[in-house]
Amino acid sequence: MNRQELHGRKPLISGNWKMNLNHLEAIQAIQKLSYALNSRDYDHVDVSVHPTFTSLRSVQTVLEADKVPISLGAQNVHADSSGAFTGEVSASMLSKLRVSYVIVGHSERRELYGETNIDVNEKTKAVLAEGMTPIVCVGESIEQRHSGQAQQTVEQQLLRGLATFDSEVVAGLVIAYEPVWAIGTGISATANDAAEMCGHIRSLVAQNWSSSAAEAVRIQYGGSVNPSNAVDLLAQADIDGALVGGASLKHEEFVRIVNFRLYQP
Ligand code: PGA
């Protein structure tokens, strides 16, 4: 029995391209990826790519012209629907481009741009209002882990970020557990540590929303995922996918991560 039959949760592997690839490079990257994956892969795994705003339209055009079942994702969004917010992009603009997933509260947004749990809550609402799926990121810093505050930090981010959402809404979200110290450092959490926190997140969802929401919600792990550690990480019952930064820019590595099941013992 595969994991999907076991839990009914299809893994989601997301490539967060961050501020990399101009629209011409993005077209090449998505074409190469679409040639490398086939319908059997998509039966087992959902795949999303998250280009910069300037590349979204180009990538969308390739995906639709070639009917490629890779979902389009964005890296950020503004909480308001329109207005005098120079430099920002609204959820309705993203949904018009048929964006399916929007990353909310990535630790780089929290750390470098001061996003708070309240921002995360408002952005998540805006994404949901446009019928897209938020990928809500949570994760502790190295100091918080060392001082034994990791679970508490993640709990606060989760409860504040998802405050006021009902159980059905939470069931449909993607939550990405991304320990800050693992992002872009080459030091991934061990499969055991990642599984422990993802299990904790699932039990928080059960306690604060419902057991059916906990069973349905997809929880990704992110932070230095590569082809070597992906197999172990994705074998964990509570880990339903990966949010991949650096390795998503390396074609062969990303394809191997998407195909993790082929490498499972
Ligand atoms: P990384 O980034 O895979 O390069 O560590 C992950 C992320 O930021 O989502």
Side-chain angles (χ1 to χ4, degrees):
M1 205 190 277
N2 69 26
R3 54 169 303 127
Q4 202 181 327
E5 286 158 350
L6 208 62
H7 316 291
R9 298 188 299 266
K10 194 172 180 185
L12 170 65
I13 309 289
S14 304
N16 175 9
W17 292 353
K18 306 194 179 181
M19 198 174 72
N20 296 290
L21 308 183
N22 63 41
H23 77 285
L24 299 172
E25 294 163 335
I27 290 171
Q28 282 187 341
I30 196 64
Q31 282 175 333
K32 267 178 92 175
L33 185 60
S34 70
Y35 298 149
L37 300 176
N38 61 47
S39 59
R40 254 173 306 136
D41 300 323
Y42 303 119
D43 284 345
H44 296 275
V45 181
D46 288 335
V47 182
S48 67
V49 292
H50 300 250
T52 59
F53 288 138
T54 54
S55 300
L56 280 174
R57 174 70 175 145
S58 308
V59 173
Q60 179 215 6
T61 306
V62 174
L63 293 176
E64 290 184 2
D66 298 345
K67 298 196 170 50
V68 183
I70 294 175
S71 298
L72 189 58
Q75 301 175 15
N76 183 29
V77 68
H78 193 274
D80 286 83
S81 54
S82 65
F85 301 104
T86 301
E88 295 292 325
V89 171
S90 74
S92 64
M93 293 168 183
L94 297 178
S95 70
K96 264 275 181 263
L97 289 169
R98 286 190 276 284
V99 163
S100 306
Y101 294 97
V102 182
I103 298 172
V104 177
H106 189 280
S107 71
E108 286 153 15
R109 302 289 325 165
R110 292 178 189 261
E111 280 196 347
L112 304 173
Y113 304 99
E115 277 186 17
T116 63
N117 291 323
I118 295 170
D119 296 322
V120 171
N121 186 263
E122 288 174 353
K123 288 180 179 209
T124 303
K125 260 186 219 150
V127 171
L128 290 164
E130 289 295 330
M132 300 178 289
T133 302
I135 298 180
V136 180
C137 299
V138 295
E140 80 286 359
S141 68
I142 194 69
E143 295 79 17
Q144 288 162 331
R145 175 152 286 258
H146 285 159
S147 61
Q149 309 274 298
Q151 291 203 345
Q152 193 184 319
T153 303
V154 166
E155 178 168 350
Q156 269 190 11
Q157 290 170 334
L158 201 70
L159 298 189
R160 293 186 184 161
L162 306 185
T164 73
F165 297 146
D166 65 26
S167 170
E168 268 139 64
V169 167
V170 174
L173 297 177
V174 178
I175 298 170
Y177 167 55
E178 295 208 304
V180 179
W181 47 270
I183 296 177
T185 57
I187 306 166
S188 163
T190 62
N192 280 347
D193 285 350
E196 190 185 359
M197 188 64 91
C198 291
H200 179 60
I201 291 171
R202 201 175 300 286
S203 52
L204 288 170
V205 171
Q207 282 159 30
N208 292 283
W209 286 275
S210 66
S211 55
S212 58
E215 268 161 47
V217 68
R218 288 194 286 185
I219 305 176
Q220 293 179 313
Y221 167 78
S224 296
V225 174
N226 62 40
S228 324
N229 60 27
V231 177
D232 249 12
L233 286 162
L234 292 162
Q236 308 301 313
D238 280 315
I239 302 183
D240 308 313
L243 183 51
V244 185
S248 72
L249 298 169
K250 298 178 195 143
H251 170 73
E252 273 154 31
E253 293 198 6
F254 191 64
V255 170
R256 280 189 56 191
I257 295 169
V258 169
N259 284 328
F260 70 93
R261 69 186 194 286
L262 305 177
Y263 301 92
Q264 275 172 340

